Amino acid sequence: MDRVIARKRFRRTHLVGLLAIVLSAVLLWWLLPSVGGRSLTVMDQRLQVSPVVAGVFEDSVPVRARVAPLQSVYLDAVQGGRVEEVLVEDGAMVSAGQLILRLSNSDLQLSVMSSESTVMEQLNNMRDQELRLEQNRLAHKRNLVEIDYNITRLERDIRRQKELLAQGNVAKSSYEALEDELDYYRKKRVVTLESQASDEKLMVHQLAFFKDNAAAMEKNLAYARESLQALDVRSPVAGKLSGFDMTVGQSVDRGMRLGQIDDADRFKLVAEIDEFYLSRVDIDQAVQFERDGRDYSLRVSKVYPNVEGGRFQVDMQFTSEAPDDLRRGQTIQSKLTLGDASEALLIPNGSFFQDTGGQWIFVVSPDGESAVRRPVRLGRRNADYIEVLDGLQQGERVITSPYSGYRDMQQLVLDQPIEQ
């Protein structure tokens, strides 16, 4: 007899098991490449493959330099004022001491005149003091002359009176009066000498003080006059005037940059270099460039340690004769030598370095069907090659094209094998 067979219902446990199997398969596909990491299949046409070769590494870096004057002197306004006359145009050749701009400043002129009046008054007062000291010195000398005269006269009279007193022809009181007067002048002479010595000592100190003050005041007066003369702006050196844009009636503040004067005949090269080379660039390193079939040599004369926008600046001076047709602002492609050439393992300098920082690289397998990520240690770089220190062997092939889409991958599977 037929019997009714009940339909089995799909249980929730079955659904959970199915989902677990699917998720495991996906996870296994994602995490199980042949080398133990993530892999990606790529087209070999997108990759640039280069061999690891042995050769001579030239430790140099290409530098794009700009021609600049060897020496530039900035022209600043020592005193502010109003532009009264412009005597030189921008771009003109000027000589040292040449007048190029005339300013006016009524407040400064009045201040200088007031300073001159004050200084002259103080100088006159000091000279009056010096005159009084000299008159006092002369008065002491006159007193001593008079005292010495009276002492000589009294000594002569006393000798005469003493003879007459012995003969009884002169009263004793008259003789004693002469002796008293002589004693007075002798004591007066001693006091006068002490006063003269004290006054002379004081006079020496006062004269020295007056002279020092007079020198300081005259210096201040000269400075005030120089400030007034600074309204006539002159070129400090000979050269080419640039950045000079002055018009009559324009107000100029003190310390304002008026322009600069450049060395018109001598030049240097100024270059900006990647901060990667900051620790390796130093003074006196050699620089070369070729122009019109002729080689020119320079040396690094100054390194600016400030880094802006990932680059730092260096100045380079010619060690040989410079080209005759150099002009300010021209750009020149040159080569900066960082060290001596040496034998090394080399790989081409490619864009991969920016993505990996030189810490790792994709190495193509011997069969050319895949590329595996491998840690490496790279050394110096130049425009063409990178020095290999560790992690690669001669004859191996590496991918040197950009890694922008492969940074998280451990293996690249090539759709077509790369032939040796």
Side-chain angles (χ1 to χ4, degrees):
M1 292 181 63
D2 295 334
R3 61 187 181 89
V4 178
I5 298 176
R7 179 181 297 177
K8 294 182 179 180
R9 299 182 62 184
F10 189 77
R11 296 181 179 180
R12 181 178 299 176
T13 56
H14 296 163
L15 178 61
V16 173
L18 181 61
L19 289 176
I21 294 172
V22 173
L23 289 176
S24 298
V26 172
L27 186 62
L28 186 63
W29 174 83
W30 184 263
L31 298 176
L32 191 61
S34 59
V35 293
R38 298 177 61 186
S39 64
L40 180 68
T41 301
V42 296
M43 295 181 295
D44 62 341
Q45 294 87 350
R46 298 175 55 189
L47 304 177
Q48 181 178 353
V49 179
S50 305
V52 180
V53 298
V56 177
F57 180 82
E58 293 185 358
D59 195 6
S60 61
V61 58
V63 173
R64 191 168 182 82
R66 172 176 49 86
V67 178
L70 180 61
Q71 182 181 15
S72 294
V73 178
Y74 292 113
L75 191 63
D76 296 338
V78 179
Q79 296 293 338
R82 178 181 180 275
V83 177
E84 294 293 336
E85 187 177 4
V86 179
L87 298 107
V88 177
E89 296 295 331
D90 185 32
M93 298 297 297
V94 296
S95 57
Q98 180 178 347
L99 180 64
I100 60 178
L101 183 69
R102 182 173 284 115
L103 304 174
S104 65
N105 188 328
S106 57
D107 293 337
L108 178 62
Q109 291 173 332
L110 291 174
S111 175
V112 171
M113 291 174 63
S114 176
S115 298
E116 287 181 342
S117 177
T118 302
V119 170
M120 294 304 297
E121 182 179 357
Q122 291 179 348
L123 289 175
N124 288 333
N125 291 335
M126 286 190 294
R127 291 190 176 93
D128 289 342
Q129 290 288 341
E130 292 177 1
L131 180 60
R132 283 194 290 271
L133 289 173
E134 182 65 18
Q135 290 175 345
N136 191 31
R137 185 183 67 84
L138 293 175
H140 282 303
K141 292 187 70 175
R142 285 195 296 269
N143 289 336
L144 284 173
V145 170
E146 183 179 355
I147 291 172
D148 290 340
Y149 165 73
N150 288 324
I151 290 175
T152 301
R153 177 179 58 81
L154 289 171
E155 287 176 346
R156 185 175 57 252
D157 290 345
I158 288 174
R159 286 195 299 269
R160 293 174 182 171
Q161 291 285 341
K162 189 175 182 179
E163 294 177 357
L164 295 174
L165 180 62
Q167 297 173 4
N169 296 327
V170 174
K172 186 177 181 180
S173 60
S174 177
Y175 176 79
E176 291 176 348
L178 290 176
E179 285 187 334
D180 292 340
E181 187 176 2
L182 177 61
D183 183 62
Y184 164 74
Y185 277 111
R186 285 174 175 172
K187 292 179 178 179
K188 185 177 181 180
R189 188 177 188 279
V190 172
V191 173
T192 302
L193 288 173
E194 290 179 357
S195 178
Q196 183 184 33
S198 177
D199 288 349
E200 285 184 354
K201 184 177 180 180
L202 179 62
M203 183 180 67
V204 169
H205 289 293
Q206 286 184 331
L207 286 177
F209 176 74
F210 289 157
K211 289 180 179 179
D212 292 340
N213 281 351
M217 290 180 181
E218 289 177 351
K219 186 177 180 180
N220 292 337
L221 181 58
Y223 176 76
R225 290 170 177 168
E226 287 178 1
S227 299
L228 192 60
Q229 293 175 357
L231 293 175
D232 291 340
V233 181
R234 299 180 180 274
S235 171
V237 295
K240 185 177 181 180
L241 181 65
S242 62
F244 186 72
D245 185 19
M246 295 286 110
T247 57
V248 175
Q250 178 180 349
S251 294
V252 174
D253 296 328
R254 184 175 183 178
M256 177 179 173
R257 178 65 48 81
L258 303 178
Q260 69 182 59
I261 300 174
D262 301 324
D263 196 327
D265 300 321
R266 298 180 299 168
F267 296 94
K268 64 181 178 181
L269 297 186
V270 179
E272 292 185 352
I273 304 176
D274 191 285
E275 62 179 333
F276 174 82
Y277 299 100
L278 179 58
S279 61
R280 303 194 59 209
V281 177
D282 204 353
I283 304 278
D284 288 335
Q285 287 179 333
V287 183
Q288 297 85 27
F289 73 90
E290 186 270 336
R291 187 181 181 89
D292 297 332
R294 181 177 176 184
D295 294 329
Y296 295 92
S297 301
L298 305 93
R299 69 175 186 89
V300 176
S301 59
K302 188 172 184 179
V303 179
Y304 299 87
N306 298 331
V307 177
E308 296 182 2
R311 305 180 73 81
F312 67 98
Q313 183 174 303
V314 298
D315 288 350
M316 300 172 286
Q317 293 186 10
F318 283 92
T319 57
S320 61
E321 185 180 356
D324 296 332
D325 57 348
L326 285 184
R327 295 294 181 269
R328 177 182 177 183
Q330 284 181 327
T331 56
I332 293 177
Q333 190 66 35
S334 59
K335 182 175 69 173
L336 170 61
T337 301
L338 301 176
D340 297 331
S342 60
E343 295 285 342
L345 283 180
L346 306 174
I347 58 174
N349 190 358
S351 301
F352 78 96
F353 192 91
Q354 282 70 31
D355 296 321
T356 68
Q359 302 298 315
W360 55 274
I361 196 170
F362 280 115
V363 182
V364 179
S365 61
D367 57 13
E369 295 181 353
S370 63
V372 180
R373 176 169 175 162
R374 184 190 297 178
V376 294
R377 189 160 62 94
L378 304 180
R380 300 169 293 176
R381 288 192 298 164
N382 60 25
D384 301 318
Y385 293 99
I386 302 177
E387 180 185 29
V388 178
L389 301 178
D390 192 19
L392 295 175
Q393 299 295 327
Q394 183 178 354
E396 289 186 310
R397 294 175 296 170
V398 294
I399 297 176
T400 55
S401 51
Y403 290 180
S404 56
Y406 320 135
R407 294 178 184 174
D408 299 329
M409 300 300 164
Q410 295 293 331
Q411 181 184 26
L412 301 180
V413 179
L414 306 180
D415 63 342
Q416 294 182 6
I418 299 176
E419 297 180 359
Q420 290 284 353

